[in-house]
Amino acid sequence: MRRCGKSVLLFQLYKEYLLSEGVKESNIITLALDTLEYAKYRNPIELDKYIREKIIDDKKRYYVFIDEIQFVSEIRKPYVDDLEAKITFIDVIMGKQGSRIRDSCSGSYR
């Protein structure tokens, strides 16, 4: 299935879960790069600036959901240089076999 809102639904479900676990809404950053509202963040410099502006307390954990990351062509794979950083990237792989979630830091699938 294509273009039917799978990512939107997944993001919304996970956001609701995080909120129910006590995560503040300000610690959840979402962008849909296929919308006009966020189109300027297809530029990796602008995307980086936007996310860094949202992360106001480096002692707290933030959750970043980016739909259609492939629109940012200059970024092949997000990474974090600082191993102590409280950022974990999760890739959601959707296909005919169903969805798999891979933690980019550990490389393990769930």
Side-chain angles (χ1 to χ4, degrees):
M1 289 192 295
R2 303 208 32 85
R3 308 288 309 159
C4 62
K6 296 181 300 290
S7 298
V8 174
L9 178 60
L10 183 63
F11 288 178
Q12 187 60 38
L13 288 171
Y14 199 62
K15 181 178 179 180
E16 288 175 14
Y17 167 75
L18 292 171
L19 293 171
S20 75
E21 291 293 310
V23 175
K24 293 182 180 178
E25 187 143 5
S26 60
N27 290 43
I28 302 171
I29 303 165
T30 60
L31 296 107
L33 297 178
D34 60 341
T35 64
L36 187 57
E37 178 184 4
Y38 294 115
K40 76 176 186 175
Y41 301 118
R42 295 175 188 175
N43 175 319
I45 308 286
E46 292 296 323
L47 178 61
D48 178 73
K49 181 179 171 186
Y50 177 80
I51 292 172
R52 289 179 188 276
E53 286 173 354
K54 294 287 187 179
I55 298 175
I56 54 176
D57 184 349
D58 62 0
K59 295 189 182 355
K60 292 186 178 177
R61 179 172 287 187
Y62 288 80
Y63 300 86
V64 181
F65 298 95
I66 304 175
D67 191 17
E68 306 296 352
I69 188 69
Q70 73 273 12
F71 287 168
V72 184
S73 59
E74 293 86 349
I75 296 177
R76 295 203 181 270
K77 186 88 173 131
Y79 67 92
V80 178
D81 287 333
D82 180 5
L83 295 178
E84 299 297 316
K86 296 187 187 264
I87 299 175
T88 300
F89 291 99
I90 298 176
D91 297 329
V92 178
I93 301 158
M94 295 188 178
K96 294 178 184 177
Q97 308 297 323
S99 299
R100 294 184 301 163
I101 298 175
R102 183 171 66 92
D103 182 318
S104 295
C105 294
S106 70
S108 62
Y109 285 93
R110 292 183 245 154

